[in-house]
Amino acid sequence: MKIFLSKINESWIVDRLRDDWYINNNEISTENVKKSDIIWIISPWVWRKLPKRHLKSKKVICSIYHIDFSNFDKKEKKDFYNRDRFVDAYHVISNKTKDQLKTLTDKEITSIPFWIDGDKWFEIKEKDKIRSELGFKKEEYLIGSFQRDTEGSDLKSPKLIKGPDIFLDLVQKIYKENKKTKVIITGNRRQYLIENFHKLGIPYKYFEMVELEKLNK
């Protein structure tokens, strides 16, 4: 039995999870979808890149991370059910998403949190050294934000399911009390927060993911 995981190539967390899977499960995995017995759609938003002839002929597992019913319009619903025709079973990472998904499909749903690779996710002991390498002073109060905060449809509106409006409000209050506060952000679709940081005069520093990955190596 061989499993193929769908590709995403967005330099984001799902890319890392996919890479981790292949490193640690090489004996049951394949990078060639034609040679696979099972297709795991680990990135459901790009499922259409998979040839339908393979989706029809193989067992298909699809991961769903969250469902934003406030944005679940006619287009989103149509896309879900078009994909659901090929899916044999679903994987979710929380029971909340499992309950949401039950309202949309009668396919089998399994809730399993994602794994953590201890070689890549660990407590950094030399925090002052890391601060220095990133250009921060020891006395600065740092707040990190490492998720998309902006809708991809217009690269301007807040992605409310991620709560960037709440995050911005909290940062603004903290900054008023402590002017040594700085925000660290990285990743794609950060336009909403960056624009508001400029408007409010809140200092921040943006890093490419590759810059942070080099730390403590």
Side-chain angles (χ1 to χ4, degrees):
M1 180 186 72
K2 293 290 183 179
I3 302 174
F4 171 84
L5 277 66
S6 60
K7 297 181 180 179
I8 175 174
N9 297 323
E10 293 182 359
S11 297
W12 203 236
I13 185 63
V14 180
D15 290 293
R16 169 62 62 80
L17 292 168
R18 184 181 189 275
D19 290 343
D20 287 346
W21 173 271
Y22 277 100
I23 291 171
N24 294 288
N25 299 279
N26 185 58
E27 69 283 355
I28 61 169
S29 305
T30 177
E31 287 276 11
N32 188 335
V33 66
K34 294 181 181 179
K35 296 181 179 180
S36 67
D37 303 292
I38 299 173
I39 295 176
W40 181 359
I41 305 177
I42 197 172
S43 47
W45 52 94
V46 292
W47 75 275
R48 291 182 181 276
K49 293 183 179 180
L50 293 165
K52 289 184 179 179
R53 66 182 184 277
H54 295 314
L55 294 174
K56 290 179 179 178
S57 63
K58 304 174 187 296
K59 291 292 183 181
V60 177
I61 300 171
C62 180
S63 289
I64 300 292
Y65 307 111
H66 57 77
I67 301 172
D68 183 4
F69 282 116
S70 65
N71 285 328
F72 202 69
D73 55 18
K74 186 176 181 180
K75 181 181 178 182
E76 289 282 337
K77 191 173 183 179
K78 181 179 179 181
D79 187 65
F80 176 87
Y81 284 114
N82 281 337
R83 184 182 61 229
D84 185 67
R85 292 183 296 125
F86 303 104
V87 176
D88 294 286
Y90 285 95
H91 159 248
V92 298
I93 58 175
S94 72
N95 288 328
K96 179 180 179 180
T97 302
K98 183 176 182 178
D99 291 338
Q100 290 178 318
L101 193 54
K102 282 181 179 179
T103 67
L104 300 173
T105 182
D106 58 0
K107 304 288 178 64
E108 180 181 353
I109 307 169
T110 302
S111 179
I112 305 175
F114 270 131
W115 55 86
I116 295 176
D117 186 337
D119 292 330
K120 295 173 181 175
W121 304 95
F122 53 88
E123 181 184 0
I124 297 176
K125 302 295 183 181
E126 298 178 343
K127 293 181 174 61
D128 289 342
K129 178 184 176 183
I130 297 299
R131 279 176 174 265
S132 178
E133 290 179 359
L134 293 177
F136 295 110
K137 298 177 182 178
K138 187 176 181 179
E139 65 273 15
E140 289 177 327
Y141 183 71
L142 306 179
I143 302 174
S145 174
F146 310 109
Q147 62 180 8
R148 293 171 178 171
D149 58 69
T150 309
E151 292 287 0
S153 57
D154 60 8
L155 296 180
K156 182 178 180 180
S157 302
K159 191 174 181 65
L160 295 177
I161 195 171
K162 301 289 186 178
D165 52 332
I166 299 173
F167 178 81
L168 182 65
D169 183 57
L170 291 172
V171 170
Q172 187 177 7
K173 290 177 181 178
I174 293 171
Y175 182 65
K176 285 181 179 180
E177 298 174 0
N178 182 0
K179 294 301 181 182
K180 293 181 180 180
T181 298
K182 284 189 177 180
V183 181
I184 303 173
I185 59 175
T186 190
N188 301 324
R189 304 222 303 253
R190 310 313 312 264
Q191 290 88 342
Y192 171 77
L193 282 181
I194 288 175
E195 181 180 351
N196 280 281
F197 287 156
H198 283 295
K199 288 180 180 179
L200 298 170
I202 297 173
Y204 74 93
K205 193 167 184 179
Y206 176 86
F207 292 95
E208 296 289 345
M209 286 294 293
V210 66
E211 295 179 81
L212 299 182
E213 289 175 350
K214 291 178 180 178
L215 296 177
N216 213 43
K217 287 189 177 180

